[in-house]
Amino acid sequence: MQTSTATTDLVSRLRSTIDGAVITPDDSGYNDIRTVVMGNFDGRPAAVARPADDADVARIISLAADSGVPLAVRNGGHSGAGHSTNDGGLVLDVRDLDEVRVDPDSRTAWAQSGVTAGAYLATAGEHGLATGFGDAATVGLGGITLAGGVGYLSRKYGMTIDELLAAEIVTADGQRLRVDEDNNPDLFWAIRGGGGNFGVATRFKYRLRDVSQFTGGILVLPGTPETITRFVAEADAAPDELSTIMMAMVAPPMPFLPQEVHGQLVVLAFMAYVGPADEAERALAPFRAIATPLADMVAPKSYLEMFPPEAEGYHPIAASRVFFADTIDQSVGEAVIESLQASTAMMSAVQFRVLGGAIARVPSDATAFAHRNRKLMINVAAMTQDVAGLAEQEAWVTKLAERLQQGPGAYTGFLGVDGAERIGEAYPPSTYERLVAVKRQYDPRNLFRSNHNVVP
Ligand SMILES: Cc1cc2nc3c(=O)[nH]c(=O)nc-3n(C[C@H](O)[C@H](O)[C@H](O)COP(=O)(O)OP(=O)(O)OC[C@H]3O[C@@H](n4cnc5c(N)ncnc54)[C@H](O)[C@@H]3O)c2cc1C
Protein backbone atom coordinates (compact mmCIF):
# COMPACT_ATOMS: atom_id res chain seq x y z
CA MET A 1 0.00 0.00 0.00
CA GLN A 2 1.26 3.43 -1.00
CA THR A 3 1.46 5.84 1.93
CA SER A 4 1.26 9.53 1.07
CA THR A 5 3.13 12.29 2.88
CA ALA A 6 -0.22 13.57 4.16
CA THR A 7 -0.96 10.17 5.71
CA THR A 8 2.50 9.76 7.25
CA ASP A 9 2.22 13.24 8.68
CA LEU A 10 -1.30 12.53 10.01
CA VAL A 11 -0.16 9.34 11.75
CA SER A 12 2.72 11.07 13.49
CA ARG A 13 0.49 13.97 14.57
CA LEU A 14 -2.13 11.56 15.87
CA ARG A 15 0.51 9.65 17.84
CA SER A 16 1.83 12.79 19.45
CA THR A 17 -1.63 14.24 20.16
CA ILE A 18 -4.15 11.63 21.29
CA ASP A 19 -4.21 9.56 24.48
CA GLY A 20 -5.75 6.55 22.71
CA ALA A 21 -4.06 4.04 20.44
CA VAL A 22 -3.04 4.62 16.83
CA ILE A 23 -2.58 1.34 14.99
CA THR A 24 -0.87 1.07 11.59
CA PRO A 25 -0.03 -1.91 9.36
CA ASP A 26 3.33 -2.24 11.15
CA ASP A 27 1.67 -2.86 14.51
CA SER A 28 0.69 -6.24 15.85
CA GLY A 29 -3.06 -6.57 16.05
CA TYR A 30 -3.59 -4.44 12.92
CA ASN A 31 -5.30 -7.26 11.06
CA ASP A 32 -7.80 -7.96 13.83
CA ILE A 33 -8.51 -4.30 14.38
CA ARG A 34 -9.00 -3.40 10.71
CA THR A 35 -11.36 -6.33 10.03
CA VAL A 36 -15.06 -5.52 9.71
CA VAL A 37 -17.96 -7.94 10.06
CA MET A 38 -18.98 -8.39 6.43
CA GLY A 39 -16.43 -10.41 4.48
CA ASN A 40 -17.36 -8.38 1.36
CA PHE A 41 -14.95 -5.69 2.55
CA ASP A 42 -11.24 -6.09 3.15
CA GLY A 43 -10.17 -2.48 3.69
CA ARG A 44 -6.60 -1.71 4.66
CA PRO A 45 -6.59 1.71 6.27
CA ALA A 46 -3.29 3.52 6.76
CA ALA A 47 -4.20 3.94 10.42
CA VAL A 48 -6.91 3.13 12.94
CA ALA A 49 -7.21 5.73 15.71
CA ARG A 50 -9.02 4.61 18.86
CA PRO A 51 -9.98 7.61 20.98
CA ALA A 52 -9.68 7.21 24.74
CA ASP A 53 -12.27 9.92 25.42
CA ASP A 54 -14.37 12.68 23.85
CA ALA A 55 -11.42 15.07 23.74
CA ASP A 56 -9.52 12.51 21.66
CA VAL A 57 -12.47 12.27 19.27
CA ALA A 58 -12.32 16.04 18.74
CA ARG A 59 -8.54 15.93 18.20
CA ILE A 60 -8.79 13.10 15.67
CA ILE A 61 -11.54 14.89 13.76
CA SER A 62 -9.53 18.14 13.60
CA LEU A 63 -6.36 16.38 12.46
CA ALA A 64 -8.25 14.33 9.86
CA ALA A 65 -10.00 17.45 8.54
CA ASP A 66 -6.67 19.31 8.23
CA SER A 67 -4.96 16.41 6.50
CA GLY A 68 -7.51 15.74 3.77
CA VAL A 69 -7.01 12.00 4.35
CA PRO A 70 -10.29 10.05 3.86
CA LEU A 71 -12.03 9.31 7.15
CA ALA A 72 -14.28 6.39 8.10
CA VAL A 73 -16.01 6.00 11.46
CA ARG A 74 -16.34 2.57 12.96
CA ASN A 75 -18.17 1.11 15.94
CA GLY A 76 -19.47 -2.48 15.73
CA GLY A 77 -18.24 -2.85 12.14
CA HIS A 78 -21.51 -4.23 10.69
CA SER A 79 -21.95 -1.77 7.82
CA GLY A 80 -23.30 -3.66 4.81
CA ALA A 81 -21.89 -0.96 2.56
CA GLY A 82 -18.32 -1.13 3.84
CA HIS A 83 -18.55 2.36 5.26
CA SER A 84 -16.57 1.66 8.40
CA THR A 85 -13.33 0.87 6.64
CA ASN A 86 -11.30 2.19 3.71
CA ASP A 87 -8.07 1.69 1.82
CA GLY A 88 -5.21 3.97 2.77
CA GLY A 89 -7.29 6.35 4.86
CA LEU A 90 -7.99 6.84 8.55
CA VAL A 91 -10.53 4.87 10.57
CA LEU A 92 -11.81 6.51 13.75
CA ASP A 93 -12.75 3.47 15.83
CA VAL A 94 -14.87 4.27 18.90
CA ARG A 95 -14.74 0.80 20.46
CA ASP A 96 -12.72 1.93 23.50
CA LEU A 97 -15.56 4.30 24.46
CA ASP A 98 -17.34 1.48 26.22
CA GLU A 99 -18.98 2.72 29.39
CA VAL A 100 -22.66 2.11 30.22
CA ARG A 101 -24.38 3.82 33.16
CA VAL A 102 -27.85 2.60 34.02
CA ASP A 103 -30.12 4.63 36.28
CA PRO A 104 -32.88 2.19 37.27
CA ASP A 105 -34.80 4.91 39.16
CA SER A 106 -35.27 7.18 36.18
CA ARG A 107 -35.30 4.21 33.79
CA THR A 108 -32.68 5.81 31.62
CA ALA A 109 -29.13 4.93 30.65
CA TRP A 110 -26.16 6.82 29.26
CA ALA A 111 -23.92 4.71 27.07
CA GLN A 112 -20.76 5.63 25.24
CA SER A 113 -21.07 5.06 21.54
CA GLY A 114 -18.49 2.26 21.31
CA VAL A 115 -20.66 -0.12 23.33
CA THR A 116 -22.26 -3.08 21.55
CA ALA A 117 -25.96 -3.85 21.90
CA GLY A 118 -25.07 -7.04 23.78
CA ALA A 119 -22.86 -5.28 26.34
CA TYR A 120 -25.52 -2.60 26.92
CA LEU A 121 -28.28 -5.20 27.34
CA ALA A 122 -26.17 -7.25 29.74
CA THR A 123 -25.77 -4.21 32.02
CA ALA A 124 -29.41 -3.10 31.73
CA GLY A 125 -30.54 -6.71 32.14
CA GLU A 126 -29.16 -6.77 35.69
CA HIS A 127 -32.12 -4.52 36.53
CA GLY A 128 -34.67 -6.37 34.38
CA LEU A 129 -34.50 -3.47 31.92
CA ALA A 130 -33.69 -3.08 28.23
CA THR A 131 -33.68 -0.68 25.32
CA GLY A 132 -34.70 -2.01 21.91
CA PHE A 133 -31.91 -2.35 19.38
CA GLY A 134 -31.79 -5.07 16.69
CA ASP A 135 -31.37 -8.82 16.64
CA ALA A 136 -27.58 -9.01 16.95
CA ALA A 137 -25.51 -8.56 20.11
CA THR A 138 -22.37 -7.45 18.30
CA VAL A 139 -23.96 -4.52 16.46
CA GLY A 140 -22.59 -1.21 17.75
CA LEU A 141 -24.82 1.37 19.41
CA GLY A 142 -23.27 4.05 17.20
CA GLY A 143 -24.28 2.47 13.90
CA ILE A 144 -27.69 1.10 14.82
CA THR A 145 -28.88 4.14 16.74
CA LEU A 146 -27.99 6.61 14.01
CA ALA A 147 -29.57 4.36 11.36
CA GLY A 148 -32.84 3.89 13.26
CA GLY A 149 -32.89 0.49 14.95
CA VAL A 150 -35.63 -2.09 14.30
CA GLY A 151 -35.74 -5.08 16.60
CA TYR A 152 -37.50 -7.22 19.16
CA LEU A 153 -39.16 -4.36 21.06
CA SER A 154 -40.08 -2.17 18.09
CA ARG A 155 -43.80 -2.80 17.85
CA LYS A 156 -44.25 -2.20 21.56
CA TYR A 157 -41.84 0.68 22.17
CA GLY A 158 -40.78 1.92 18.74
CA MET A 159 -37.40 2.04 17.06
CA THR A 160 -34.13 2.72 18.86
CA ILE A 161 -34.37 6.37 17.75
CA ASP A 162 -37.75 6.60 19.47
CA GLU A 163 -36.07 5.63 22.75
CA LEU A 164 -33.18 8.07 22.26
CA LEU A 165 -33.47 10.99 24.69
CA ALA A 166 -30.18 12.78 24.03
CA ALA A 167 -26.76 12.37 22.49
CA GLU A 168 -23.37 13.99 22.54
CA ILE A 169 -21.82 14.63 19.14
CA VAL A 170 -18.45 15.95 18.03
CA THR A 171 -18.98 17.84 14.78
CA ALA A 172 -16.60 18.43 11.86
CA ASP A 173 -15.21 21.61 13.41
CA GLY A 174 -14.33 19.75 16.63
CA GLN A 175 -17.22 21.17 18.69
CA ARG A 176 -18.68 18.87 21.33
CA LEU A 177 -22.45 19.34 21.29
CA ARG A 178 -25.25 18.10 23.48
CA VAL A 179 -28.27 17.29 21.32
CA ASP A 180 -31.82 16.68 22.49
CA GLU A 181 -35.28 18.20 22.05
CA ASP A 182 -34.08 21.51 23.57
CA ASN A 183 -30.43 21.68 22.50
CA ASN A 184 -29.63 21.69 18.78
CA PRO A 185 -33.05 20.17 18.00
CA ASP A 186 -32.36 20.22 14.24
CA LEU A 187 -29.33 18.03 14.78
CA PHE A 188 -31.29 15.80 17.16
CA TRP A 189 -33.90 15.32 14.42
CA ALA A 190 -31.21 14.54 11.82
CA ILE A 191 -29.21 11.98 13.79
CA ARG A 192 -32.34 9.92 14.36
CA GLY A 193 -32.09 8.09 11.05
CA GLY A 194 -29.58 10.30 9.23
CA GLY A 195 -26.60 8.09 10.11
CA GLY A 196 -23.05 9.27 10.65
CA ASN A 197 -23.43 12.31 8.37
CA PHE A 198 -23.28 14.99 11.05
CA GLY A 199 -20.43 14.10 13.36
CA VAL A 200 -19.13 11.41 15.66
CA ALA A 201 -21.54 10.45 18.41
CA THR A 202 -19.72 9.82 21.67
CA ARG A 203 -22.67 9.20 24.02
CA PHE A 204 -26.33 8.30 23.88
CA LYS A 205 -29.04 8.60 26.51
CA TYR A 206 -31.83 6.03 26.14
CA ARG A 207 -35.12 5.25 27.81
CA LEU A 208 -35.20 1.84 29.49
CA ARG A 209 -38.16 -0.54 29.57
CA ASP A 210 -39.20 -3.24 31.98
CA VAL A 211 -38.54 -6.59 30.28
CA SER A 212 -38.62 -8.67 33.45
CA GLN A 213 -41.56 -10.58 31.99
CA PHE A 214 -40.53 -11.80 28.57
CA THR A 215 -41.26 -14.76 26.31
CA GLY A 216 -39.23 -15.42 23.20
CA GLY A 217 -37.24 -17.75 21.02
CA ILE A 218 -37.23 -19.54 17.71
CA LEU A 219 -40.30 -21.05 16.03
CA VAL A 220 -39.76 -23.12 12.88
CA LEU A 221 -42.59 -23.99 10.49
CA PRO A 222 -42.54 -25.73 7.12
CA GLY A 223 -41.64 -23.29 4.33
CA THR A 224 -44.59 -22.97 1.97
CA PRO A 225 -46.32 -20.01 0.29
CA GLU A 226 -49.16 -20.41 2.81
CA THR A 227 -46.98 -20.42 5.92
CA ILE A 228 -45.20 -17.29 4.72
CA THR A 229 -48.36 -15.33 3.99
CA ARG A 230 -50.20 -16.55 7.08
CA PHE A 231 -47.26 -15.78 9.30
CA VAL A 232 -47.10 -12.21 8.03
CA ALA A 233 -50.87 -11.78 8.45
CA GLU A 234 -50.75 -13.10 12.03
CA ALA A 235 -47.76 -10.91 12.90
CA ASP A 236 -49.63 -7.89 11.62
CA ALA A 237 -52.77 -8.81 13.62
CA ALA A 238 -50.80 -9.62 16.80
CA PRO A 239 -50.76 -7.29 19.81
CA ASP A 240 -47.94 -4.72 19.83
CA GLU A 241 -46.27 -6.67 22.64
CA LEU A 242 -45.23 -9.21 20.01
CA SER A 243 -42.46 -8.36 17.54
CA THR A 244 -41.24 -10.97 15.07
CA ILE A 245 -38.37 -11.40 12.65
CA MET A 246 -39.16 -14.20 10.20
CA MET A 247 -36.99 -15.75 7.54
CA ALA A 248 -37.99 -17.99 4.68
CA MET A 249 -34.92 -20.07 3.95
CA VAL A 250 -33.42 -23.48 3.36
CA ALA A 251 -32.86 -24.99 6.80
CA PRO A 252 -29.19 -25.15 7.71
CA PRO A 253 -28.04 -28.17 9.75
CA MET A 254 -29.03 -26.60 13.06
CA PRO A 255 -28.82 -28.97 16.03
CA PHE A 256 -32.35 -28.14 17.23
CA LEU A 257 -33.90 -29.24 13.91
CA PRO A 258 -34.59 -32.90 13.10
CA GLN A 259 -32.11 -34.18 10.53
CA GLU A 260 -34.78 -34.73 7.87
CA VAL A 261 -35.57 -31.00 7.98
CA HIS A 262 -31.98 -29.99 7.11
CA GLY A 263 -31.94 -28.71 3.54
CA GLN A 264 -35.74 -28.27 3.44
CA LEU A 265 -37.49 -24.95 3.02
CA VAL A 266 -38.61 -23.54 6.34
CA VAL A 267 -40.01 -20.45 7.93
CA LEU A 268 -37.68 -19.69 10.84
CA ALA A 269 -38.96 -16.94 13.10
CA PHE A 270 -37.64 -15.12 16.15
CA MET A 271 -40.62 -14.38 18.38
CA ALA A 272 -40.39 -11.74 21.12
CA TYR A 273 -43.25 -10.96 23.52
CA VAL A 274 -42.90 -8.39 26.31
CA GLY A 275 -45.38 -9.06 29.10
CA PRO A 276 -46.88 -11.82 31.24
CA ALA A 277 -46.36 -15.42 30.09
CA ASP A 278 -50.08 -16.27 29.86
CA GLU A 279 -50.69 -13.32 27.54
CA ALA A 280 -47.68 -14.39 25.48
CA GLU A 281 -49.15 -17.88 25.09
CA ARG A 282 -52.40 -16.41 23.77
CA ALA A 283 -50.55 -14.17 21.31
CA LEU A 284 -48.39 -17.07 20.10
CA ALA A 285 -51.21 -19.60 19.64
CA PRO A 286 -52.20 -18.41 16.12
CA PHE A 287 -48.61 -18.88 14.90
CA ARG A 288 -48.38 -22.37 16.33
CA ALA A 289 -51.68 -23.16 14.58
CA ILE A 290 -50.38 -22.21 11.10
CA ALA A 291 -48.76 -25.64 10.78
CA THR A 292 -47.23 -28.22 13.10
CA PRO A 293 -43.98 -26.56 14.21
CA LEU A 294 -40.75 -28.30 13.21
CA ALA A 295 -39.12 -26.71 16.26
CA ASP A 296 -40.61 -24.57 19.00
CA MET A 297 -38.19 -23.00 21.45
CA VAL A 298 -40.40 -20.08 22.36
CA ALA A 299 -40.60 -19.91 26.16
CA PRO A 300 -40.36 -17.48 29.08
CA LYS A 301 -36.74 -16.34 29.41
CA SER A 302 -34.65 -13.27 30.02
CA TYR A 303 -34.58 -10.73 27.20
CA LEU A 304 -30.80 -11.15 27.03
CA GLU A 305 -31.24 -14.80 26.02
CA MET A 306 -32.51 -13.56 22.65
CA PHE A 307 -28.88 -12.65 21.97
CA PRO A 308 -26.81 -15.85 22.22
CA PRO A 309 -23.03 -15.46 21.75
CA GLU A 310 -22.10 -15.07 18.10
CA ALA A 311 -19.35 -17.13 16.45
CA GLU A 312 -16.09 -15.20 16.49
CA GLY A 313 -14.27 -14.74 13.22
CA TYR A 314 -17.50 -15.15 11.20
CA HIS A 315 -17.37 -12.84 8.18
CA PRO A 316 -20.22 -13.62 5.79
CA ILE A 317 -19.93 -12.51 2.19
CA ALA A 318 -23.42 -11.60 1.05
CA ALA A 319 -25.49 -9.77 -1.52
CA SER A 320 -28.57 -8.17 -0.01
CA ARG A 321 -31.37 -5.74 -0.72
CA VAL A 322 -33.76 -4.08 1.70
CA PHE A 323 -37.13 -2.53 0.83
CA PHE A 324 -40.68 -2.19 2.07
CA ALA A 325 -44.05 -3.73 1.20
CA ASP A 326 -47.53 -3.30 2.64
CA THR A 327 -49.53 -6.36 1.68
CA ILE A 328 -48.44 -9.80 0.76
CA ASP A 329 -50.59 -12.42 -0.85
CA GLN A 330 -50.21 -16.01 -2.01
CA SER A 331 -48.32 -14.93 -5.15
CA VAL A 332 -45.64 -13.28 -3.01
CA GLY A 333 -45.27 -16.46 -0.96
CA GLU A 334 -44.99 -18.44 -4.19
CA ALA A 335 -42.37 -16.10 -5.65
CA VAL A 336 -40.29 -16.40 -2.47
CA ILE A 337 -40.44 -20.18 -2.43
CA GLU A 338 -39.70 -20.51 -6.16
CA SER A 339 -36.72 -18.16 -5.92
CA LEU A 340 -35.30 -19.91 -2.87
CA GLN A 341 -35.61 -23.24 -4.66
CA ALA A 342 -33.73 -21.84 -7.65
CA SER A 343 -31.01 -20.16 -5.57
CA THR A 344 -27.42 -21.17 -6.24
CA ALA A 345 -26.16 -19.42 -3.09
CA MET A 346 -24.37 -21.07 -0.20
CA MET A 347 -27.30 -19.80 1.85
CA SER A 348 -30.16 -17.51 0.89
CA ALA A 349 -33.03 -16.07 2.88
CA VAL A 350 -35.90 -13.63 2.65
CA GLN A 351 -36.39 -11.84 5.94
CA PHE A 352 -39.73 -10.29 6.88
CA ARG A 353 -40.11 -7.76 9.70
CA VAL A 354 -43.70 -6.76 10.32
CA LEU A 355 -43.61 -3.14 11.45
CA GLY A 356 -46.58 -1.11 12.72
CA GLY A 357 -47.37 -0.68 16.42
CA ALA A 358 -45.33 2.02 18.12
CA ILE A 359 -43.17 2.53 15.02
CA ALA A 360 -46.23 3.81 13.14
CA ARG A 361 -47.43 6.03 15.98
CA VAL A 362 -44.50 8.42 15.45
CA PRO A 363 -45.21 11.04 12.75
CA SER A 364 -43.22 10.53 9.52
CA ASP A 365 -41.50 13.91 9.88
CA ALA A 366 -40.60 13.56 13.57
CA THR A 367 -37.27 11.88 12.80
CA ALA A 368 -35.11 11.34 9.72
CA PHE A 369 -36.52 7.81 9.40
CA ALA A 370 -39.65 8.62 7.40
CA HIS A 371 -41.10 5.21 6.54
CA ARG A 372 -43.37 5.10 9.57
CA ASN A 373 -46.44 3.89 7.72
CA ARG A 374 -44.89 0.97 5.90
CA LYS A 375 -46.17 -2.40 7.08
CA LEU A 376 -43.31 -4.69 6.23
CA MET A 377 -39.55 -4.43 5.91
CA ILE A 378 -38.15 -7.16 3.67
CA ASN A 379 -34.51 -8.07 3.28
CA VAL A 380 -33.43 -10.49 0.55
CA ALA A 381 -29.96 -11.92 1.11
CA ALA A 382 -27.70 -14.49 -0.53
CA MET A 383 -24.34 -15.61 0.78
CA THR A 384 -21.39 -16.77 -1.25
CA GLN A 385 -18.11 -18.51 -0.54
CA ASP A 386 -16.01 -15.69 -1.98
CA VAL A 387 -16.37 -12.21 -3.45
CA ALA A 388 -16.04 -13.66 -6.96
CA GLY A 389 -19.48 -15.20 -6.48
CA LEU A 390 -21.11 -11.90 -5.51
CA ALA A 391 -22.19 -10.78 -8.99
CA GLU A 392 -24.31 -13.91 -9.51
CA GLN A 393 -25.96 -13.48 -6.12
CA GLU A 394 -26.51 -9.74 -6.67
CA ALA A 395 -28.48 -10.67 -9.78
CA TRP A 396 -30.63 -13.19 -7.87
CA VAL A 397 -31.25 -10.76 -5.00
CA THR A 398 -32.14 -7.88 -7.33
CA LYS A 399 -34.54 -9.98 -9.41
CA LEU A 400 -36.49 -11.18 -6.38
CA ALA A 401 -36.43 -7.74 -4.75
CA GLU A 402 -37.89 -6.18 -7.89
CA ARG A 403 -40.70 -8.72 -7.74
CA LEU A 404 -41.49 -8.11 -4.06
CA GLN A 405 -40.81 -4.40 -3.52
CA GLN A 406 -43.91 -2.23 -3.30
CA GLY A 407 -43.11 1.43 -3.92
CA PRO A 408 -39.84 3.23 -3.18
CA GLY A 409 -38.30 2.92 0.25
CA ALA A 410 -35.18 1.67 2.01
CA TYR A 411 -33.77 1.49 5.53
CA THR A 412 -30.18 2.74 5.70
CA GLY A 413 -29.27 0.23 8.43
CA PHE A 414 -29.56 -2.56 5.88
CA LEU A 415 -28.57 -0.72 2.72
CA GLY A 416 -25.53 -2.21 1.06
CA VAL A 417 -23.44 -1.01 -1.83
CA ASP A 418 -26.71 -0.12 -3.60
CA GLY A 419 -27.05 2.68 -1.03
CA ALA A 420 -25.48 5.37 -3.21
CA GLU A 421 -28.12 4.99 -5.92
CA ARG A 422 -30.97 4.44 -3.43
CA ILE A 423 -30.38 7.39 -1.11
CA GLY A 424 -33.55 8.98 -2.54
CA GLU A 425 -35.49 5.91 -1.47
CA ALA A 426 -34.05 5.99 2.04
CA TYR A 427 -34.90 9.67 2.43
CA PRO A 428 -38.01 11.02 0.66
CA PRO A 429 -37.54 14.53 -0.84
CA SER A 430 -38.79 16.55 2.15
CA THR A 431 -36.63 14.52 4.56
CA TYR A 432 -33.60 14.77 2.30
CA GLU A 433 -33.94 18.55 1.91
CA ARG A 434 -34.05 18.95 5.67
CA LEU A 435 -31.03 16.65 6.08
CA VAL A 436 -29.09 18.71 3.51
CA ALA A 437 -29.84 21.90 5.47
CA VAL A 438 -28.53 20.32 8.69
CA LYS A 439 -25.52 18.87 6.86
CA ARG A 440 -24.66 22.33 5.45
CA GLN A 441 -24.69 23.72 8.95
CA TYR A 442 -22.65 21.02 10.70
CA ASP A 443 -20.49 19.45 7.99
CA PRO A 444 -20.38 21.79 4.96
CA ARG A 445 -17.15 20.24 3.63
CA ASN A 446 -18.55 16.71 3.87
CA LEU A 447 -15.78 15.39 6.09
CA PHE A 448 -18.17 12.61 7.18
CA ARG A 449 -18.92 11.07 3.79
CA SER A 450 -18.16 7.39 4.34
CA ASN A 451 -21.84 6.74 5.04
CA HIS A 452 -25.15 6.83 3.19
CA ASN A 453 -24.16 10.30 2.25
CA VAL A 454 -26.24 13.43 2.43
CA VAL A 455 -24.32 15.73 0.11
CA PRO A 456 -24.07 19.31 1.40
C1 LIG B 1 -25.71 -9.44 11.34
C2 LIG B 1 -26.41 -8.11 11.32
C3 LIG B 1 -27.61 -7.97 11.99
C4 LIG B 1 -28.28 -6.76 11.98
N1 LIG B 1 -29.47 -6.66 12.63
C5 LIG B 1 -30.13 -5.47 12.64
C6 LIG B 1 -31.39 -5.35 13.29
O1 LIG B 1 -31.94 -6.31 13.80
N2 LIG B 1 -31.98 -4.13 13.29
C7 LIG B 1 -31.43 -3.04 12.69
O2 LIG B 1 -32.01 -1.97 12.76
N3 LIG B 1 -30.24 -3.13 12.06
C8 LIG B 1 -29.60 -4.31 12.02
N4 LIG B 1 -28.40 -4.43 11.34
C9 LIG B 1 -27.89 -3.25 10.63
C10 LIG B 1 -27.03 -2.41 11.56
O3 LIG B 1 -27.83 -1.73 12.48
C11 LIG B 1 -26.23 -1.38 10.74
O4 LIG B 1 -25.38 -2.05 9.85
C12 LIG B 1 -25.40 -0.49 11.66
O5 LIG B 1 -24.91 0.60 10.92
C13 LIG B 1 -24.28 -1.25 12.27
O6 LIG B 1 -23.68 -0.50 13.27
P1 LIG B 1 -22.19 -0.85 13.72
O7 LIG B 1 -21.78 0.19 14.66
O8 LIG B 1 -22.12 -2.26 14.11
O9 LIG B 1 -21.44 -0.74 12.33
P2 LIG B 1 -20.21 0.17 11.75
O10 LIG B 1 -19.90 -0.51 10.50
O11 LIG B 1 -19.16 0.25 12.81
O12 LIG B 1 -20.86 1.54 11.57
C14 LIG B 1 -21.68 1.80 10.44
C15 LIG B 1 -21.69 3.27 10.15
O13 LIG B 1 -22.39 3.95 11.19
C16 LIG B 1 -21.78 5.20 11.45
N5 LIG B 1 -21.31 5.21 12.83
C17 LIG B 1 -21.06 4.17 13.66
N6 LIG B 1 -20.73 4.61 14.88
C18 LIG B 1 -20.77 5.96 14.83
C19 LIG B 1 -20.56 6.99 15.76
N7 LIG B 1 -20.22 6.74 17.02
N8 LIG B 1 -20.70 8.27 15.35
C20 LIG B 1 -21.03 8.56 14.08
N9 LIG B 1 -21.26 7.62 13.15
C21 LIG B 1 -21.14 6.33 13.52
C22 LIG B 1 -20.63 5.35 10.47
O14 LIG B 1 -21.07 6.02 9.32
C23 LIG B 1 -20.31 3.91 10.15
O15 LIG B 1 -19.69 3.76 8.92
C24 LIG B 1 -27.73 -5.64 11.30
C25 LIG B 1 -26.53 -5.79 10.61
C26 LIG B 1 -25.87 -7.02 10.60
C27 LIG B 1 -24.60 -7.17 9.82
Side-chain angles (χ1 to χ4, degrees):
M1 184 178 41
Q2 233 20 50
T3 309
S4 68
T5 318
T7 314
T8 313
D9 189 44
L10 173 62
V11 170
S12 78
R13 291 177 75 189
L14 282 166
R15 285 202 161 126
S16 62
T17 312
I18 73 166
D19 293 327
V22 180
I23 301 111
T24 64
D26 298 333
D27 295 309
S28 68
Y30 170 78
N31 261 326
D32 276 348
I33 281 163
R34 76 171 176 89
T35 303
V36 292
V37 172
M38 297 305 297
N40 303 40
F41 311 104
D42 190 28
R44 287 162 195 277
V48 178
R50 300 185 63 158
D53 54 26
D54 299 18
D56 262 1
V57 173
R59 292 181 194 116
I60 297 167
I61 289 174
S62 299
L63 291 175
D66 286 351
S67 71
V69 171
L71 173 68
V73 178
R74 182 225 161 102
N75 177 190
H78 285 69
S79 168
H83 285 150
S84 47
T85 185
N86 58 30
D87 281 312
L90 174 67
V91 172
L92 191 167
D93 175 342
V94 295
R95 280 179 289 175
D96 290 335
L97 305 177
D98 60 358
E99 186 186 69
V100 184
R101 282 193 194 173
V102 170
D103 180 356
D105 296 330
S106 66
R107 292 227 172 136
T108 59
W110 272 103
Q112 283 188 297
S113 65
V115 174
T116 60
Y120 177 98
L121 291 170
T123 308
E126 289 166 16
H127 308 274
L129 300 170
T131 300
F133 299 106
D135 60 6
T138 48
V139 161
L141 297 194
I144 194 167
T145 303
L146 302 172
V150 181
Y152 296 133
L153 302 179
S154 291
R155 279 167 56 87
K156 176 73 176 160
Y157 295 121
M159 298 170 67
T160 306
I161 47 176
D162 304 328
E163 300 288 52
L164 185 69
L165 299 170
E168 288 174 14
I169 308 280
V170 184
T171 50
D173 57 3
Q175 275 196 80
R176 289 151 67 178
L177 299 179
R178 158 93 183 211
V179 296
D180 55 30
E181 289 292 358
D182 301 316
N183 301 284
N184 306 293
D186 52 346
L187 190 51
F188 188 49
W189 173 85
I191 61 164
R192 286 176 291 163
N197 271 289
F198 309 97
V200 175
T202 54
R203 267 190 190 75
F204 298 111
K205 183 183 186 185
Y206 302 101
R207 208 177 274 122
L208 285 161
R209 304 293 186 171
D210 180 0
V211 289
S212 55
Q213 297 194 85
F214 180 80
T215 294
I218 293 176
L219 179 71
V220 186
L221 302 170
T224 66
E226 294 75 25
T227 52
I228 293 171
T229 48
R230 277 195 60 195
F231 187 100
V232 170
E234 294 298 354
D236 186 36
D240 292 352
E241 283 72 13
L242 184 71
S243 293
T244 59
I245 299 177
M246 180 269 271
M247 278 167 303
M249 64 193 293
V250 172
M254 287 169 154
F256 56 81
L257 285 175
Q259 208 155 6
E260 61 273 18
V261 175
H262 298 172
Q264 301 297 311
L265 282 169
V266 293
V267 154
L268 187 153
F270 294 89
M271 315 296 287
Y273 188 97
V274 213
D278 56 333
E279 288 177 15
E281 284 301 301
R282 276 198 295 281
L284 290 162
F287 295 88
R288 290 173 165 143
I290 293 174
T292 307
L294 301 169
D296 183 350
M297 295 185 294
V298 189
K301 56 181 60 151
S302 75
Y303 184 65
L304 197 59
E305 284 175 84
M306 291 299 284
F307 303 87
E310 293 164 30
E312 266 186 49
Y314 177 58
H315 299 290
I317 300 172
S320 70
R321 194 166 168 112
V322 67
F323 51 92
F324 296 102
D326 297 304
T327 53
I328 77 157
D329 58 18
Q330 178 80 6
S331 73
V332 169
E334 280 164 10
V336 169
I337 293 295
E338 275 165 28
S339 295
L340 287 171
Q341 276 164 340
S343 165
T344 58
M346 204 169 82
M347 188 154 107
S348 48
V350 183
Q351 186 187 68
F352 296 85
R353 295 175 186 235
V354 172
L355 308 173
I359 301 172
R361 287 193 285 274
V362 174
S364 294
D365 61 356
T367 65
F369 176 87
H371 310 285
R372 297 287 182 170
N373 298 321
R374 301 312 299 268
K375 283 266 173 74
L376 197 56
M377 187 190 288
I378 304 180
N379 209 338
V380 180
M383 280 186 214
T384 77
Q385 211 85 336
D386 49 41
V387 284
L390 270 175
E392 182 182 348
Q393 299 315 323
E394 295 282 359
W396 179 84
V397 159
T398 308
K399 190 169 166 214
L400 181 56
E402 280 168 0
R403 164 71 184 81
L404 303 184
Q405 179 163 3
Q406 295 168 357
Y411 167 51
T412 58
F414 286 127
L415 269 180
V417 287
D418 56 335
E421 67 205 48
R422 298 185 67 211
I423 193 83
E425 284 195 68
Y427 304 119
S430 58
T431 307
Y432 192 73
E433 275 165 33
R434 217 169 142 186
L435 285 170
V436 170
V438 180
K439 180 81 173 175
R440 283 189 181 140
Q441 190 179 344
Y442 294 98
D443 184 20
R445 289 170 57 205
N446 208 6
L447 175 67
F448 303 109
R449 60 178 176 276
S450 187
N451 46 44
H452 295 295
N453 198 222
V454 172
V455 182

